[in-house]
Amino acid sequence: MFPLNQSQAYCARLFLDDYKACRNHFREIIRTKKQLESRHEIFSNSVNNLDYDCDAFYLGKQDARKVMVFISGTHGIEGFCGSAIQRYLLTEIFPTLESNDDCAFLFIHALNPWGMANYRRCDELGIDLNRNFIDFNLVPELPDGFSEVHDILLMEDEAERQSELNRLLTFCGQTRFDEVLSGGQYDFDYLPFFGGKEKSFPRKIIEEVIKLFSLDEKELIVIDLHTGLGPWSFGELISDHPAQSSGNDYAKSIFGHAVSVTEEGESFSVCKHGLLDYAWHPFMESKGCFLTLEFGTLGTSSLFQTLIKENLIWRSSCKQVESSESLEKRKAMMLKHFFPKDLLWQQSVLFRAEQIFYQSLEYLNE
């Protein structure tokens, strides 16, 4: 179990805030597993002559009937926490596990590598991957009232912008406000929560990974690792399976009342378009579940303020090569909200992740 008495230095070795350092440590760890049956796939995306890599590491027999999947970096900046969890599990937990021919494990490390490397939530095209999984022949329309939101998001004056957002929040209520602002839009690539005009590079990775490992034929528990929404250090298990679906029943048979279903209004999250979950739901109709493990930080208001302000800084800087001053300003702002340098927060994250892992494994082994 997670050693709560470990020093800050122990957590510091895991909670790295540099994409290359996380990637190198992940690859160093998986090289030690080569004596075990495994498979390592690398997906590279070249942007401005720089390569950004996503690693998919499968540990176990290829014909295993059950697979547990851990995904980090769906939202780039949130990948630092997800990477720490993946490297912790591979280092501290897997050496203690007995071999199991019927259950395998898949670690998708830095699904959105460009976003992680550049301290952004979106990819290099401004696409929020967790709004990109739609049928682009049936693009959702803008929600009512979004034209007003559009104008507010472009206000340079922070005090005026926040005042207008507060007015809108009072008028709409928290749930409707969250849905309009963050539910996903497909018209404005210069605003947050943009779902794209076509399939993103990370979406293509997911589709390829599913084919490579025949995941559509397996019994799956998929855990997508996120940060930034909800109360400080609380690890919420969010289900975006339809209400009353077998996916929710399956999840609750493992985690009980810890599962929060968005369609039933149980979660700090709201219903959204184009979630990564939707790529996996079709082959979870009888068995399996996709859950988001979301670790809270500074609250919803801070989340929106941070993303809006960071987006304005990025828009201003991307007219030219980003200055080191602009980069450091964005980096500090994003890390403060999505990757707190707080020992108790880090310990809570590892403890909760380990708890979820063992609950999942126990269920799959029954």
Side-chain angles (χ1 to χ4, degrees), residues 151-216:
D151 295 340
I152 294 173
L153 295 180
L154 296 180
M155 289 180 175
E156 295 286 348
D157 186 280
E158 186 172 359
E160 181 183 5
R161 183 175 68 246
Q162 194 55 46
S163 175
E164 286 299 299
L165 287 173
N166 290 339
R167 178 185 61 77
L168 199 60
L169 172 60
T170 301
F171 176 76
C172 294
Q174 189 71 61
T175 298
R176 180 57 183 163
F177 176 83
D178 290 359
E179 290 173 345
V180 173
L181 182 59
S182 66
Q185 54 85 16
Y186 299 84
D187 293 68
F188 310 106
D189 60 0
Y190 51 84
L191 294 181
F193 311 109
F194 171 63
K197 300 289 187 182
E198 59 185 7
K199 292 182 180 182
S200 64
F201 172 72
R203 174 173 173 176
K204 293 175 183 177
I205 292 176
I206 289 295
E207 293 175 346
E208 183 65 19
V209 164
I210 289 171
K211 291 179 182 177
L212 283 172
F213 299 105
S214 302
L215 298 180
D216 56 340

Side-chain angles (χ1 to χ4, degrees), residues 23-33:
R23 180 191 62 187
N24 290 339
H25 191 206
F26 180 81
R27 290 180 176 177
E28 178 184 326
I29 292 169
I30 66 176
R31 278 195 293 270
T32 68
K33 312 295 180 188

Side-chain angles (χ1 to χ4, degrees), residues 68 88 227 269:
M68 194 187 309
Y88 170 71
T227 65
S269 181

Side-chain angles (χ1 to χ4, degrees), residues 64-69 102-104 214-222 250 254 283-284 286-289 363-366:
R65 293 188 305 110
K66 305 171 184 179
V67 182
M68 194 187 309
V69 183
D102 205 34
C103 185
S214 302
L215 298 180
D216 56 340
E217 302 171 4
K218 312 287 187 179
E219 179 177 343
L220 299 172
I221 298 176
V222 183
Y250 185 95
I254 307 171
F283 39 91
M284 293 176 171
S286 58
K287 286 185 178 180
C289 63
Y363 185 87
L364 291 177
N365 282 340
E366 287 180 353

Side-chain angles (χ1 to χ4, degrees), residues 47-102:
V47 183
N48 296 329
N49 297 318
L50 295 174
D51 286 336
Y52 299 92
D53 294 343
C54 168
D55 296 272
F57 180 62
Y58 184 98
L59 190 57
K61 293 190 176 296
Q62 297 294 309
D63 60 354
R65 293 188 305 110
K66 305 171 184 179
V67 182
M68 194 187 309
V69 183
F70 284 87
I71 304 172
S72 69
T74 299
H75 287 143
I77 183 71
E78 300 170 33
F80 297 117
C81 177
S83 173
I85 291 170
Q86 291 174 319
R87 289 180 284 115
Y88 170 71
L89 292 175
L90 282 166
T91 303
E92 301 294 340
I93 306 303
F94 276 82
T96 68
L97 293 181
E98 296 181 2
S99 60
N100 185 331
D101 292 346
D102 205 34

